[in-house]
Amino acid sequence: MRLTNIGLGLVIAIVSAGFAGGVGVKDLSAVTKEGDSVSGREIYANTCIRCHGIDGKGAQGIKLVPPPADLGSSAVQNRLDGTLFKRIHEGKPNTAMGAWKHALSDDEIWDVLAYVRTLGVGSEEKP
Ligand code: HEC
């Protein structure tokens, strides 16, 4: 029984190694998905900008408690894709950050997350 399991494991390992060139990379999409930041930008402009602002640092003249998260900050950027996806999907209780699962499809959330990732580039290097 044990031996069979090891044998099966080996076969799977060999088969996945065989796919590693192409399909293997895509297997990661079980937990994370490469969104399209160009379409994400449009979604962001339509749905997120009014709170998070054009650069993710928060919209001007908006007073929320707690304030919108700085999306370019390392506090946000250091989170895993899955964590941020869930946050956008489910929202954050007792904050203005609502659940977007009704307004956006999963693919749209991955797209907008891909755009959120672009906000981190550069802003991290500034002191
Ligand atoms: C009505 C205002 C509002 C809108 C619209 C809004 N957010 Fe937020 N968002 C917030 C607030 C407020 C927080 C901060 C919550 C906190 O500090 O705990 C937040 C937090 C976040 C965070 C950080 C969560 C974390 O784990 O720290 C992400 C990522 C985020 N928003 C993405 C988005 C995206 C993407 C959209 C558009 C689909 C969006 N938000 C639309 C108000 C908003």
Side-chain angles (χ1 to χ4, degrees):
M1 196 56 180
R2 277 194 83 123
L3 268 179
T4 337
N5 279 344
I6 293 167
L8 188 61
L10 255 181
V11 170
I12 291 171
I14 290 164
V15 170
S16 6
F19 280 112
V23 186
V25 177
K26 264 216 157 148
D27 283 351
L28 288 171
S29 66
V31 279
T32 175
K33 188 165 182 263
E34 193 67 39
D36 173 2
S37 62
V38 175
S39 111
R41 186 166 184 255
E42 208 159 294
I43 298 165
Y44 184 88
N46 289 328
T47 44
C48 323
I49 222 167
R50 65 192 158 96
C51 289
H52 288 285
I54 194 159
D55 53 3
K57 294 195 183 306
Q60 303 240 316
I62 193 166
K63 291 266 176 289
L64 293 171
V65 183
D70 177 351
L71 299 182
S73 69
S74 42
V76 169
Q77 293 294 328
N78 286 345
R79 292 189 202 279
L80 297 174
D81 283 350
T83 309
L84 291 178
F85 178 89
K86 190 158 172 254
R87 186 58 85 213
I88 299 165
H89 195 263
E90 304 293 328
K92 190 158 178 185
N94 304 317
T95 76
M97 181 61 192
W100 290 97
K101 62 183 171 193
H102 306 295
L104 302 174
S105 70
D106 284 6
D107 277 349
E108 286 170 329
I109 294 178
W110 285 120
D111 288 353
V112 82
L113 178 54
Y115 180 69
V116 166
R117 287 297 187 202
T118 69
L119 298 172
V121 181
S123 55
E124 297 254 7
E125 277 127 56
K126 283 175 210 141

